[in-house]
Amino acid sequence: MKCRKCGGTAVLELRRHNAAFCAPDFMEFFRRQVGEAVRRHRMFTREESVLVAVSGGKDSLALWDVLLQEGYSTTGLYLDLGIFDYSKESRAKCEAFAAEHGVPLLIVSVEQEVGAGIPEVQAATRRPTCSACGLSKRYLMNKAALEHGFPVVATGHNLDDEAATLFGSILHWQTEPLARQSPALPSTHPKLVRRVKPLYRLSERETAAYAFLRRIDYIVEECPFAKGATSLMHKEILNRLEDVSPGAKHNFLFGFLEKGRPAFERLVEVALNECARCGQVTTGTLCGFCKLADQVKRAR
Ligand code: AMP
Ligand code: FES
Ligand code: ZN
């Protein structure tokens, strides 16, 4: 196997691109894909400070690494979910990365914000696994960005994550999530910061390879509440499709973004208000996060 760029020995074959790369040229390819995502969706400029949400996993640390290499001004944000050893270890990975690169890391504790860690929050609600956690993460990312004056939050969602989310939304024809699924969500309210996913063009296998080649020390274990079995199953199904037809995942997601999403955007119109209690954005009177905090209080 030869590198497409230099003809040297390739370390990684990318069947969907019909190409193979040596280590330096693969890393260059990876950075270019991130650059293309940032440009194409006007995610942020070099003048803006980007808040990078880091979980301690390979994707978000790889993203932070690329943005630092490309000279963007970044600050990390770690949300301590209070999930036993998993949270302790993932926090340590983020702290070590920040210290090694001499970059700032904000840490927000879910326990302080909600009154309990995610295990207790989940027990107090009848929501499906990870849904209370996802809601808390989105809320706290936005809140931290607003409080510290960041115009944009970047997350490490990759092509596999995005394709699996799309697959799940289509199975149930969930119009609102379909309208919202995008690599870049603009700010539609002064209290809502932009949310962007600069890795959406890169697969999980590619971010793992990048993290390995860059010697990034990340947490390998998954969260013990392991991602509702359904989203894992959707990933598996898409991987099987990808095996027999390289590029299937990419075509599925990119075809939707180009041809499907505009139709859903037209269907969904939401009026945004400010939460009566915390002032953050909601479609109702009280935001989902404040309702969650109430549920936790009642359960105690
Ligand atoms: P997940 O929802 O766990 O697949 O994570 C998707 C993205 O959300 C990650 O790539 C991170 O950017 C962000 N994220 C997940 N967990 C955390 C966390 N505990 N703290 C900060 N960001 C997180
Ligand atoms: Fe949220 Fe696992 S990361 S429940
Ligand atoms: Zn609220």
Side-chain angles (χ1 to χ4, degrees):
M1 232 176 20
K2 286 200 166 138
C3 171
R4 175 205 261 184
K5 286 289 282 293
C6 71
T9 307
V11 293
L12 196 77
E13 186 184 13
L14 304 183
R15 284 170 67 208
R16 91 190 135 89
H17 290 287
N18 209 1
F21 291 106
C22 68
D25 285 325
F26 169 71
M27 289 190 279
E28 173 67 17
F29 160 86
F30 193 92
R31 285 191 292 267
R32 272 172 193 258
Q33 290 295 326
V34 175
E36 175 72 17
V38 172
R39 258 192 315 280
R40 194 175 277 225
H41 295 276
R42 297 203 177 90
M43 291 183 174
F44 38 77
T45 63
R46 293 196 182 276
E47 285 67 46
E48 287 177 310
S49 284
V50 183
L51 188 61
V52 187
V54 284
S55 64
K58 61 184 182 325
D59 303 300
S60 47
L61 288 181
L63 170 62
W64 201 4
D65 184 85
V66 174
L67 296 182
L68 287 171
Q69 281 201 42
E70 296 294 309
Y72 285 102
S73 154
T74 60
T75 294
L77 169 66
Y78 175 75
L79 302 171
D80 187 338
L81 304 167
I83 306 180
F84 321 117
D85 285 353
Y86 169 74
S87 286
K88 287 195 192 101
E89 281 169 38
S90 53
R91 175 180 176 152
K93 300 289 182 197
C94 295
E95 286 174 332
F97 183 97
E100 187 188 335
H101 293 81
V103 280
L105 174 70
L106 296 175
I107 296 182
V108 172
S109 148
V110 169
E111 191 157 358
Q112 270 171 20
E113 298 281 334
V114 197
I118 289 296
E120 200 182 321
V121 171
Q122 252 156 4
T125 69
R126 277 190 299 267
R127 287 166 161 274
T129 333
C130 284
S131 133
C133 176
L135 172 100
S136 308
K137 283 196 253 189
R138 283 190 299 276
Y139 178 94
L140 294 173
M141 281 176 197
N142 191 66
K143 183 166 181 251
L146 281 178
E147 282 176 1
H148 293 89
F150 292 93
V152 56
V153 177
T155 57
H157 292 94
N158 59 39
L159 175 59
D160 295 51
D161 295 326
E162 293 299 282
T165 301
L166 174 60
F167 193 68
S169 305
I170 287 182
L171 284 178
H172 300 101
W173 293 109
Q174 292 166 318
T175 37
E176 267 186 43
L178 286 167
R180 269 200 318 263
Q181 170 136 19
S182 168
L185 285 170
S187 163
T188 50
H189 186 280
K191 286 198 166 174
L192 208 54
V193 301
R194 232 147 67 223
R195 266 195 294 143
V196 298
K197 302 165 183 167
L199 300 184
Y200 83 102
R201 309 174 67 84
L202 291 151
S203 71
E204 200 157 312
R205 181 171 162 263
E206 287 154 13
T207 59
Y210 179 86
F212 174 78
L213 292 170
R214 290 281 301 153
R215 296 197 168 84
I216 294 172
D217 185 19
Y218 62 85
I219 181 158
V220 179
E221 292 89 73
E222 291 278 344
C223 159
F225 293 105
K227 289 287 191 182
T230 45
S231 77
L232 281 186
M233 202 204 312
H234 296 159
K235 279 193 177 175
E236 251 172 62
I237 293 169
L238 292 168
N239 281 337
R240 281 169 63 183
L241 280 174
E242 184 76 21
D243 270 349
V244 287
S245 149
K249 248 183 272 184
H250 177 281
N251 293 343
F252 177 56
L253 178 67
F254 282 59
F256 169 77
L257 293 175
E258 193 185 318
K259 298 174 194 158
R261 183 169 178 261
F264 287 98
E265 266 188 298
R266 280 194 292 274
L267 285 180
V268 177
E269 213 176 283
V270 284
L272 295 176
N273 317 310
E274 288 181 20
C275 170
R277 188 175 309 157
C278 72
Q280 283 231 54
V281 172
T282 173
T283 50
T285 325
L286 213 57
C287 78
F289 187 81
C290 285
K291 285 185 196 158
L292 195 67
D294 280 349
Q295 273 179 309
V296 172
K297 243 183 249 155
R298 274 198 301 272
R300 283 197 142 183

